[in-house]
Amino acid sequence: PVVVASTQGGMDIEEVAEKTPEAIITMPVDINVGMTDAQAEELAAKLEFTGALAAPAVAQFKALYALFAGTDATQVEINPLVHGSVPGGEQDTVFAVDAKLNFDDSAAFRQADIFSLRDKSMEDPRDVQ
């Protein structure tokens, strides 16, 4: 797995990659080890989550990787990842506002709960033949 991130992000990461490739952060993660604390800390620093925001960012990155690995995901795309306060909850933390997740079809037998949530009416008909 590879983490791909950018402080510029936005809706079109491909455009960021084309116009300012130096703004793209890539970080390979050993599937047998998972995301280490050092990697999560490095990612937090590169994404400018510093000071009091570093620890919640590290926790978020490790949790997202655990989600990726634990659900047989092929993609976990977060856009945007922000810092702020959750109404009625944590203050000054890091959290995902929106996400897109894709899962390995060959893992459907292991991830029956996830696959039971699939709504084919929301997909391109060419993809669900």
Side-chain angles (χ1 to χ4, degrees), residues 9 37 52-53 58 84 86 97-99 104 106 109 118 128:
D37 290 341
L53 293 174
V58 166
V86 178
V97 175
D98 193 14
D104 184 350
S106 65
F109 71 98
R118 186 174 184 181
V128 291

Side-chain angles (χ1 to χ4, degrees), residues 5 20 24-25 28 38-39 58 61 65 72 87-88 103:
T20 53
I24 303 294
I25 300 160
Q39 285 178 305
V58 166
F61 299 144
Y65 185 81
D72 293 295
F103 303 95

Side-chain angles (χ1 to χ4, degrees), residues 60-82:
Q60 189 68 246
F61 299 144
K62 294 200 56 137
L64 287 167
Y65 185 81
L67 169 73
F68 170 82
T71 60
D72 293 295
T74 57
Q75 175 185 19
V76 175
E77 179 180 324
I78 306 301
N79 190 15
L81 182 69
V82 300

Side-chain angles (χ1 to χ4, degrees), residues 17-126:
E18 183 180 318
K19 291 183 177 178
T20 53
E22 67 279 1
I24 303 294
I25 300 160
T26 57
M27 179 178 289
V29 178
D30 184 331
I31 195 134
N32 296 310
V33 175
M35 179 172 281
T36 65
D37 290 341
Q39 285 178 305
E41 290 164 3
E42 178 183 348
L43 186 59
K46 287 182 176 183
L47 290 174
E48 302 172 5
F49 291 110
T50 59
L53 293 174
V58 166
Q60 189 68 246
F61 299 144
K62 294 200 56 137
L64 287 167
Y65 185 81
L67 169 73
F68 170 82
T71 60
D72 293 295
T74 57
Q75 175 185 19
V76 175
E77 179 180 324
I78 306 301
N79 190 15
L81 182 69
V82 300
H83 65 86
S85 299
V86 178
E90 291 186 64
Q91 303 300 302
D92 206 25
T93 191
V94 176
F95 57 96
V97 175
D98 193 14
K100 174 183 176 182
L101 292 89
N102 292 324
F103 303 95
D104 184 350
D105 288 335
S106 65
F109 71 98
R110 279 193 304 270
Q111 305 297 339
D113 289 345
I114 291 171
F115 279 82
S116 72
L117 300 172
R118 186 174 184 181
D119 181 357
K120 292 183 181 180
S121 71
M122 299 300 294
E123 298 180 38
D124 185 321
R126 296 170 294 185

